[in-house]
């Protein structure tokens, strides 16, 4: 009996009815499917090959074979099979989608994005949904490795094809709400319209290229814009640059965008595009420094460890895997080599007195490894280690292993240092600020930069031929990785380089919705009318432009009648101000914002928002106090709100955001999730009983152990990174996925 309805769409993806397409090979396909389901991959492949000998170009059998190879972790073997399909049937959506996935697994996002473009160009639009899922996959991976502009565009493309998929919109929002993502990387740059003076034929070609770009056919659009660029048509280079950027062609994008910048002169648009170029440009060979490991066989492990651990200019960092990216890597003793002895406990002097890490020694059972960067100091560091190691290693030349490369300028701006033990929070903040000032004002101006053709900012400023790149670089410094630099840090640098601060945006004419994200912090919030002020707060909040959001929130608080209008939520404004104060380490101001928010809230709103204020205060306490202080407050909140339907969702989402509960897959039922509350239970067991709640207990959800499935709301996943509106505390450091892309270095952090 046939297993596929003869009049159903053919499973090969051709779009034809099964009866007139692949019914003749059903016996081979179903046999292979049964064998594969039984774990017999090789026999399944043999069954498919038997069918292909009789029907060599059958798409169903070829797709089945490619899928079997992919599922058997043999993606490289699947590629020629899929290429054979798309050569014979160029409009085969399923084959294009699977080929995109194979290239993503075997070669990376750039080849996968190029293949996706080929598929979109060949497949009719009504058959794009399989390609939408590949666009989502490519976009997700690009986001994980920090390639944000093409990540956003791929996710937007998937959302346009599948508009009802809420997860796609959420993925874009996660990038936009990440305060560590620079505004130039997440501004939704649109292609330029055609110039007004174009003749009719050129105008038609320009508009056709725009339509292709807006439809997601960036490769086709790039070809058209490249032809228009060759004719010298204004705006074509800009559009070509963005199409190439969205196709993950950074080199081509930067070349085109910088040609456009050269035509603009010293304008604000030129500065913003140059800033984007500096952030996405790949470092050239001369701009990279090798991260190396010099490896010696060990003669006497214990003697080497004793020598190293006995020195004050060596810091014992404990045991760690020799390769952090390999889960099966063996562990070694890790010791940091310092440029001076560790500062005595309680030292509160100048930052110049604090030791910095210049390299590391990894001591295994049979080898000793010097781990450092070959930036001109490696020979001296090697000599130092040889002298320390003495007879514990042989005198022979070590084996050299290159483990990676880092941009020379980035390395110069990084600071890894060892502050004294026992210093208080205020001293730590002071020392961090001093270190940041040292790097910004002393190191950065004297560091050769690739965007200045290897010159230092001081040299470029003296030459007077790089004002746009210097303005852009200073703006990136001001951004500070999401935490804007202290206002006085860049003033002396700007004065020395002769570069004034960026101009203020006119508050009377600004269109907040169209203004580049990087310019929101140049809008004087205190001189905006009410509608523009609300728009500024909302847009800065959605994109986590911290400086602009804080200024707008402060101004909203100064206009209580505007808050009463309800255009923005009063609680969100005060919660944002409290969280931002905590980011700066101003604990007193953070709790003062909570007190002011409670005090100024209308009486009618207080019962509804009681849980939000209490849990906001708990989260702030968790950032500034030990668990013995804040966990009792959390226990009281759980007791107070866990049985109240009105407040249970707030409680649940707060616990998720704090990482105290999380979803885990049910090991017994596929597709079902359980809620793991063990982290919460451990804290409550250790610290919760120090207070007695009104009922004399900690409540059901506070005492129920192990893993439980919630009876209340299902909630959404939280995270360790605070984004405006979540109320969760900000993350201390950026997250994963920098890959081999250039990183945005935050001076002194």
């Amino acid at each position: 009996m046939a297993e596929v309805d003869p009049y159903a769409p053919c499973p090969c993806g051709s779009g034809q009815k099964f009866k007139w397409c692949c019914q003749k090979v059903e016996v081979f396909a179903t046999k292979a499917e049964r064998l594969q389901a039984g774990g017999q991959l090789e026999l399944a492949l043999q069954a498919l090959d038997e069918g292909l000998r009789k029907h060599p170009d059958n798409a169903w059998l070829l797709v089945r074979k490619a899928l079997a190879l992919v599922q058997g972790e043999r993606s490289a073997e699947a590629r020629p099979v899929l290429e054979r399909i798309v050569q014979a049937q160029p409009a085969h959506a399923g084959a294009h989608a699977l080929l995109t996935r194979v290239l993503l697994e075997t070669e990376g996002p750039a080849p996968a994005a190029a293949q996706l473009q080929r598929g979109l160009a060949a497949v009719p639009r009504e058959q794009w949904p399989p390609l939408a899922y590949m666009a989502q996959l490519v976009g997700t991976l690009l986001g994980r490795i920090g390639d944000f502009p093409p990540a956003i565009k791929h996710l937007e493309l998937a959302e346009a094809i599948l508009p009802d998929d809420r997860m796609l919109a959420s993925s874009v929002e996660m990038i936009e709400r990440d305060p560590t993502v620079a505004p130039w990387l997440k501004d939704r740059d649109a292609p330029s319209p055609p110039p007004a003076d174009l003749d009719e034929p050129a105008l038609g070609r320009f508009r056709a290229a725009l339509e292709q770009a807006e439809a997601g056919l960036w490769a086709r659009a790039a070809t058209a814009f490249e032809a228009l660029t060759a004719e010298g048509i204004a705006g074509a280079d800009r559009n070509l640059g963005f199409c190439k950027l969205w196709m993950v062609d950074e080199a081509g994008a930067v070349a085109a965008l910088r040609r456009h910048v050269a035509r603009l002169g010293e304008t604000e648009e030129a500065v913003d595009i140059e800033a984007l170029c500096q952030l996405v440009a790949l470092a050239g060979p001369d701009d990279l420094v090798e991260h190396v490991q010099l490896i010696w066989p060990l003669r006497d492990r214990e003697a080497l460890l004793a020598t190293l651990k006995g020195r004050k200019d060596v810091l014992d960092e404990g045991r760690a895997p020799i390769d952090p990216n390999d889960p099966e890597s063996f562990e070694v003793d890790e010791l940091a080599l310092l440029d001076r002895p560790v500062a005595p406990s309680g030292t509160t002097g100048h930052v110049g007195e604090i030791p910095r890490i210049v390299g590391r020694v990894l001591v295994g059972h049979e080898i000793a490894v010097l781990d450092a960067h070959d930036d001109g100091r490696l020979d001296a560091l090697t000599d130092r280690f040889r002298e320390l190691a003495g007879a514990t290693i042989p005198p022979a030349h070590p084996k050299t292993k290159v483990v990676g490369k880092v941009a020379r300028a980035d390395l110069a701006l990084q600071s890894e240092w060892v502050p004294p033990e026992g210093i208080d929070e205020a001293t730590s903040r002071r020392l961090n600020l001093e270190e940041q000032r040292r790097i910004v004002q002393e190191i950065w101006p004297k560091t050769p930069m690739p965007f200045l053709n290897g010159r230092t900012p001081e040299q470029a400023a003296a030459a007077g031929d790089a004002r746009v790149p210097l303005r852009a670089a200073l703006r990136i410094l001001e951004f500070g990785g999401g935490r804007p630099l202290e206002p006085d840090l860049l003033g002396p640098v700007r004065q020395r380089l002769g570069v004034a601060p960026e101009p203020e945006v006119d508050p009377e004419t600004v269109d907040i919705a169209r203004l580049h994200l990087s310019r929101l912090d140049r809008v004087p919030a205190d001189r905006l009318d009410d509608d523009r002020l609300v728009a500024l707060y909302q847009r800065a909040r959605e994109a986590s432009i911290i400086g602009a959001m804080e200024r707008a929130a402060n101004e909203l608080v100064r206009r209580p009648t505007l808050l009463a209008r309800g255009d923005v939520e009063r609680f969100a404004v005060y919660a944002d101000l409290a969280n931002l104060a905590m980011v700066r380490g101003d604990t007193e101001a953070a709790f003062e914002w909570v007190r002011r928010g409670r005090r100024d809230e209308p009486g009618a709103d207080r019962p509804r928002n009681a849980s939000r204020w209490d849990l906001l205060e708990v989260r702030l306490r968790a950032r500034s106090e030990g668990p013995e202080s804040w966990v009792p407050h959390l226990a009281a909140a759980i007791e107070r709100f866990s049985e109240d339907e009105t407040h249970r969702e707030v409680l649940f989402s707060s616990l998720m955001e704090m990482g105290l509960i999380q979803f885990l897959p049910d090991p017994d039922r596929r597709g079902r999730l359980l809620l793991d509350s063990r982290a919460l239970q451990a804290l409550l067991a250790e610290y919760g009983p120090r207070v007695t709640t009104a009922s004399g207990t900690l409540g059901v959800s506070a005492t129920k152990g192990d893993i439980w499935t919630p009876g209340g709301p299902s909630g959404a996943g939280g995270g360790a990174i605070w984004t405006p509106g979540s109320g969760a505390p900000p993350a201390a450091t950026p997250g994963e996925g920098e890959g081999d892309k250039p990183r945005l270095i935050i001076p002194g952090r």
Side-chain angles (χ1 to χ4, degrees), residues 48-343:
L48 292 167
D49 285 338
E50 181 186 354
L52 286 168
R53 282 192 290 273
K54 297 181 179 179
H55 307 280
D57 295 319
N58 183 266
W60 191 18
L61 296 181
L62 289 169
V63 168
R64 283 277 189 196
K65 182 175 181 178
L67 277 170
L69 290 167
V70 169
Q71 291 165 5
E73 299 183 354
R74 294 162 60 180
S75 293
E77 297 177 50
R79 179 177 177 176
V81 177
L82 293 164
E83 289 174 340
R84 182 174 161 188
I85 300 172
V86 298
Q87 185 175 5
Q89 299 184 34
H92 197 296
H96 279 291
L98 189 53
L99 183 53
T100 300
R101 175 183 165 185
V102 165
L103 288 172
L104 190 64
E105 292 179 1
T106 59
E107 297 191 19
Q115 168 55 38
L116 179 63
Q117 286 294 305
R118 289 191 288 271
L120 292 167
V123 175
R125 188 175 181 86
E126 62 271 14
Q127 296 178 31
W128 277 11
L131 297 170
Y133 293 112
M134 291 302 106
Q136 179 186 15
L137 192 60
V138 171
T140 300
L141 180 58
L142 287 167
R144 286 178 182 169
I145 64 175
D147 211 343
F148 297 113
I152 291 172
K153 290 303 292 187
H154 277 83
L155 292 168
E156 283 182 338
L157 173 61
E159 185 182 359
I161 301 170
L162 302 171
D164 296 329
D165 191 330
R166 175 59 191 156
M167 288 297 294
L168 293 170
S170 298
S171 298
V172 176
E173 289 170 6
M174 284 180 64
I175 295 174
E176 292 180 326
R177 286 181 174 271
D178 185 344
T180 68
V181 178
W184 301 274
L185 298 177
K186 58 186 177 183
D187 191 271
R188 301 207 187 185
D189 295 286
S192 297
D197 59 350
L198 282 187
D199 59 36
E200 198 59 40
L203 179 62
R205 288 187 290 130
F206 202 112
R207 286 175 173 167
L210 280 178
E211 289 176 4
Q212 290 172 333
E214 290 165 0
L217 298 171
W218 307 316
R220 280 188 174 178
T223 300
F225 283 125
E226 200 154 21
L228 292 166
T229 293
E231 299 172 25
I233 293 175
D237 257 329
R238 181 182 184 278
N239 293 351
L240 171 63
F242 280 114
C243 286
K244 285 186 173 291
L245 183 62
W246 301 333
M247 292 158 56
V248 205
D249 178 4
E250 291 92 347
V254 169
L257 290 173
R258 281 186 167 149
R259 289 196 300 268
H260 180 66
V261 167
R263 298 179 63 157
L264 291 174
E266 194 179 338
T267 64
E268 292 167 36
E269 181 187 356
V271 171
D272 289 331
I273 293 178
E274 171 59 26
L276 173 64
C277 290
Q278 290 181 21
L279 289 169
V280 304
L282 298 174
D286 295 338
D287 302 317
L288 294 173
V289 173
E290 288 184 339
H291 176 194
V292 300
Q293 290 183 342
L294 305 183
I295 307 168
W296 288 266
L298 257 179
R299 287 177 170 174
D300 191 335
R301 181 177 188 275
E302 297 307 319
L304 177 59
L305 285 174
T307 298
L308 293 173
K309 292 182 179 182
R311 295 186 60 88
K312 292 185 177 181
D313 59 355
V314 176
L315 178 68
D316 184 359
E317 295 183 312
R319 301 277 292 174
I322 193 169
D323 182 357
N325 299 316
D326 181 0
E328 299 182 0
S329 175
F330 62 87
E331 286 196 337
V332 293
D333 286 275
E334 190 171 286
L335 301 104
L337 300 178
L338 311 178
D339 65 351
R340 67 195 67 203
V342 174

Side-chain angles (χ1 to χ4, degrees), residues 459-514:
Q459 291 169 336
D465 59 357
R467 290 189 57 80
V468 167
L470 285 173
R471 283 176 62 182
L474 287 164
R475 285 292 285 158
I476 294 171
L477 279 181
E478 279 179 334
F479 163 68
R483 294 167 57 184
L485 293 186
E486 295 292 329
D488 65 327
L489 284 186
L490 272 180
V493 180
R494 286 186 173 279
Q495 186 173 9
R496 198 154 82 228
L497 301 180
V499 180
E502 290 299 297
E504 192 177 78
V505 176
D506 185 352
E508 296 184 2
T509 61
V510 61
D511 183 346
I512 299 293
R514 297 175 63 86

Side-chain angles (χ1 to χ4, degrees), residues 509-587:
T509 61
V510 61
D511 183 346
I512 299 293
R514 297 175 63 86
L515 187 66
H516 195 284
L517 287 178
S518 68
R519 298 280 160 180
L520 293 181
D521 69 339
R522 304 304 300 153
V523 178
D526 58 334
R527 290 190 279 133
L528 291 174
D529 60 43
D530 286 354
D531 290 339
R532 284 191 172 96
L533 177 61
V534 169
L536 176 63
Y537 171 70
Q538 290 175 332
R539 187 159 185 238
R541 192 169 191 264
E542 288 168 359
S544 293
I545 309 299
I546 301 302
M549 182 178 71
E550 186 167 22
R551 282 191 285 276
N554 272 298
E555 185 59 27
L556 284 168
V557 169
R558 286 191 283 269
R559 303 185 195 183
T561 55
L562 179 54
L563 279 181
R565 247 173 45 178
D567 293 346
V568 295
E569 187 186 29
R570 181 190 299 270
F571 172 83
V573 172
Y574 282 95
D576 286 344
L577 288 168
N579 273 302
L580 291 169
M582 190 62 74
V583 170
R584 293 193 303 274
D586 193 342
T587 304

Side-chain angles (χ1 to χ4, degrees), residues 377-450:
R377 299 174 292 177
L378 182 61
D379 288 345
L381 194 61
T382 303
D383 291 342
R384 176 182 168 188
F385 173 66
R386 284 183 184 276
E387 185 178 346
L388 288 172
T392 65
I393 61 173
H397 191 76
K399 176 184 175 183
T400 301
K401 177 182 178 182
V402 178
V403 295
K405 295 183 179 182
V406 63
R408 190 180 301 276
D410 289 354
L411 187 61
L413 299 178
Q414 288 176 337
S415 179
E416 194 174 12
W417 50 314
V418 183
E421 293 185 4
I423 60 173
D424 57 34
E425 187 176 345
T427 302
S428 177
R429 286 201 303 272
R430 175 179 64 79
L431 291 173
N432 274 297
L433 184 58
E434 285 182 11
E435 176 69 352
Q436 195 175 59
R437 180 177 290 109
R438 183 187 73 87
I439 291 178
V440 169
Q441 297 182 359
E442 299 175 24
I443 305 299
W444 185 83
K446 300 179 184 297
T447 300
M449 300 290 179

